[in-house]
Amino acid sequence: MDVHAKAINEEMKLGAVYAIAELAKEPVPDVVNAAYKLKRTTFGRDYILPKPLDPRLLTRISCAVAKAAIESGVARKTITDWEGYANHLREMMGYDNKLLRSFTEMAKANPKRVVFAEANHVNMLKAAVEAKAEGICIPILLGNEERLAKIAAEENLSLEGIEIVNLRHDREADRRDRYASMLAEKKAREGVTFAEACEKMVDRNTFGMMMVAAGDADAFITGVYSRYAEVTKLATEIIGIRAPYKHFGAMNIITGKKGTFFIADTLINRHPSTEVLIDIARLTHDSVKFFAHEPVMAMLSYSNFGSDKQGSPNKVHEAINYLHKNNPEILIDGEMQVNFALNKKLRDETYPFNKLKCKDVNTLVFLNLSSANSTYKLLLEMGIVETIGPIQMGLNKPIHFTDLESSTRDIVNLTTVAVVDAIVQEQIDSNQ
């Protein structure tokens, strides 16, 4: 239909067949493996057709059929910008709403235990109740039972069947001691004593993260009250950063009329050094692939390709040089201004040497936290985009941080991502 074909011929049918066959031979995204509770799937006697929930099918088959129609002479309209056409398909088909829906179905099929640290915040309490009602997760609320019951009554919410853990109550003394012993043992060489660890266990974020670390829960949500700097430091100490990285970050998925974009780091690293920028870029690359997109990445600044050789742009310039040398599999370039990143004609004509030539950028790595955070919030407030996130990248367990002003739906969406994260983590652990 998009090429106004006069007929459906054998060439178009074969185009679809070859596209399916080629896709089956490519690595399967983790989200697809998780959706079907499979171990790492590879092409062979047990896997010759891509799974129906594989979101790559949408663009691969459509593009293949359209190309075959053009090449066989039955098309009345010609397409030349295939990447633009693929983006158009995603937009028209509501790709990213479908992605979130597929994540929701995945979570419903295998709901995980999610700790809601700040359950006495109305939006977080509503999100926990809603997530349970939708079958997304098994919520665990941290807080005082009477206080939570009062808020629930005021908001006409039912807490029936939802576990509440009053971490400061005497009945949790044994668990606090157990968690304190674990933390003191882990941090013994850093001067943390058992007594000090015990003092920390009356803090909801520390206690909740220890629930995940100890295997008493699968994922953790916080952030509507907590200062992110304190919480991220706790996460580093308790959960730890996934090897081989030395830093972790956060990414937002934004969707709008221009398509889908992934932006980082939107929450964690205030003024990243060259070393931190390298880790953010590598983490973002892996995370975008996790969401079944092929990352085309630009590292942003206020200068282009070394035009300003001092200060912060130089950090980006050095990071790009390192990535080009040590991670050639990552399609990334910079530093560049955002208009050059998003306008490929302008970029390619002005800087024809760039490594992203003819490609539409879908992933933006910002120079610092202020620019990344302000950008996505500006677009959100202006009604230009919808967003999922911030999505944590790089910790050993599913610890996720929401924003101070997050709505109930924002927290439910992040909970869905946290559950999928936990499902995939469970698979990775079982395969090791």
Side-chain angles (χ1 to χ4, degrees):
M1 291 177 69
D2 288 335
V3 295
H4 301 178
K6 294 180 283 188
I8 297 174
N9 57 26
E10 291 302 306
E11 289 86 350
M12 293 161 73
K13 295 175 187 176
L14 284 169
V17 169
Y18 284 124
I20 292 169
E22 187 141 333
L23 185 58
K25 294 174 185 176
E26 295 182 13
V28 180
D30 284 336
V31 288
V32 178
N33 284 319
Y36 292 92
K37 301 181 182 177
L38 300 171
K39 293 187 176 179
R40 195 157 296 281
T41 311
T42 55
F43 181 72
R45 62 184 296 171
D46 297 322
Y47 176 74
I48 60 171
L49 288 173
K51 296 295 183 182
L53 280 180
D54 192 328
R56 299 172 298 174
L57 286 166
L58 170 67
T59 53
R60 296 295 185 87
I61 297 175
S62 301
C63 288
V65 171
K67 282 180 182 177
I70 293 168
E71 290 169 1
S72 63
V74 297
R76 296 187 181 93
K77 180 181 177 183
T78 300
I79 295 172
T80 55
D81 182 1
W82 291 102
E83 194 165 343
Y85 175 56
N87 287 336
H88 171 71
L89 283 172
R90 293 187 186 103
E91 180 188 330
M92 293 295 292
M93 295 297 291
Y95 173 90
D96 297 286
N97 288 333
K98 286 176 70 179
L99 181 66
L100 188 56
R101 284 200 299 273
S102 71
F103 277 17
T104 301
E105 292 306 311
M106 198 185 307
K108 287 179 179 179
N110 190 8
K112 296 298 181 185
R113 300 163 298 171
V114 178
V115 179
F116 292 83
E118 298 160 327
N120 57 330
H121 188 287
V122 172
N123 285 355
M124 189 163 280
L125 187 62
K126 284 181 177 178
V129 171
E130 206 168 298
K132 180 182 184 295
E134 292 181 21
I136 292 168
C137 75
I138 303 162
I140 302 171
L141 309 180
L142 297 188
N144 179 281
E145 303 93 324
E146 293 179 1
R147 174 67 179 149
L148 295 183
K150 184 181 179 200
I151 298 170
E154 290 170 354
E155 298 295 328
N156 197 26
L157 301 172
S158 172
L159 300 183
E160 185 178 354
I162 297 179
E163 181 181 359
I164 299 173
V165 176
N166 188 343
L167 65 153
R168 295 169 186 167
H169 197 280
D170 288 347
R171 65 174 168 268
E172 294 295 340
D174 289 345
R175 180 150 49 172
R176 288 196 301 270
D177 287 349
R178 176 163 61 93
Y179 291 168
S181 294
M182 290 174 61
L183 185 60
E185 184 178 350
K186 182 177 181 179
K187 296 292 180 181
R189 292 285 178 178
E190 297 173 34
V192 177
T193 66
F194 174 73
E196 288 172 323
C198 282
E199 285 296 311
K200 293 176 183 287
M201 291 309 143
V202 294
D203 172 71
R204 69 182 74 202
N205 289 315
T206 304
F207 187 93
M209 289 184 202
M210 285 303 304
M211 289 184 74
V212 177
D216 294 339
D218 303 300
F220 174 85
I221 305 284
T222 190
V224 287
Y225 285 135
S226 305
R227 293 183 179 179
Y228 79 90
E230 295 170 2
V231 179
T232 54
K233 183 182 177 184
L234 265 180
T236 304
E237 292 174 354
I238 295 171
I239 301 299
I241 295 170
R242 189 171 74 245
Y245 304 107
K246 295 180 180 178
H247 313 89
F248 76 105
M251 174 184 79
N252 274 66
I253 304 173
I254 60 172
T255 61
K257 289 184 178 179
K258 290 284 188 179
T260 301
F261 295 89
F262 304 84
I263 65 175
D265 170 14
T266 53
L267 189 64
I268 309 299
N269 299 283
R270 293 180 180 178
H271 301 287
S273 63
T274 295
E275 182 185 30
V276 176
L277 285 170
I278 290 166
D279 264 5
I280 291 170
R282 294 192 300 171
L283 283 165
T284 306
H285 173 267
D286 292 349
S287 296
V288 174
K289 288 185 77 71
F290 172 87
F291 287 104
H293 276 67
E294 221 29 69
V296 180
M297 305 176 66
M299 292 190 85
L300 303 180
S301 182
Y302 54 80
S303 69
N304 287 308
F305 300 100
S307 61
D308 189 331
K309 300 187 185 301
Q310 296 182 352
S312 53
N314 195 49
K315 292 190 296 186
V316 183
H317 199 70
E318 290 174 357
I320 288 291
N321 287 341
Y322 178 93
L323 291 165
H324 284 173
K325 181 179 179 181
N326 296 282
N327 297 94
E329 75 282 2
I330 297 178
L331 187 56
I332 189 169
D333 215 340
E335 83 283 11
M336 67 181 82
Q337 296 172 359
V338 68
N339 54 325
F340 285 87
L342 299 179
N343 186 333
K344 66 183 175 185
K345 184 174 185 292
L346 175 66
R347 181 183 68 237
D348 293 352
E349 287 179 355
T350 311
Y351 303 103
F353 57 83
N354 82 84
K355 294 183 181 294
L356 310 180
K357 199 162 187 180
C358 300
K359 295 282 187 181
D360 287 316
V361 167
N362 62 8
T363 306
L364 303 171
V365 178
F366 283 77
L367 181 62
N368 54 42
L369 176 59
S370 179
S371 54
N373 191 275
S374 297
T375 296
Y376 95 80
K377 287 185 176 178
L378 173 66
L379 295 173
L380 192 61
E381 283 301 309
M382 294 177 71
I384 296 172
V385 300
E386 295 180 358
T387 184
I388 304 171
I391 299 165
Q392 174 268 119
M393 311 180 294
L395 291 175
N396 283 318
K397 298 281 185 180
I399 305 296
H400 289 270
F401 315 100
T402 189
D403 268 341
L404 185 68
E405 68 282 1
S406 293
S407 68
T408 298
R409 180 42 55 178
D410 290 336
I411 300 170
V412 172
N413 288 346
L414 188 62
T415 302
T416 305
V417 171
V419 171
V420 173
D421 192 1
I423 292 169
V424 172
Q425 186 62 49
E426 184 179 62
Q427 273 198 318
I428 291 170
D429 292 343
S430 66
N431 291 340
Q432 288 176 345

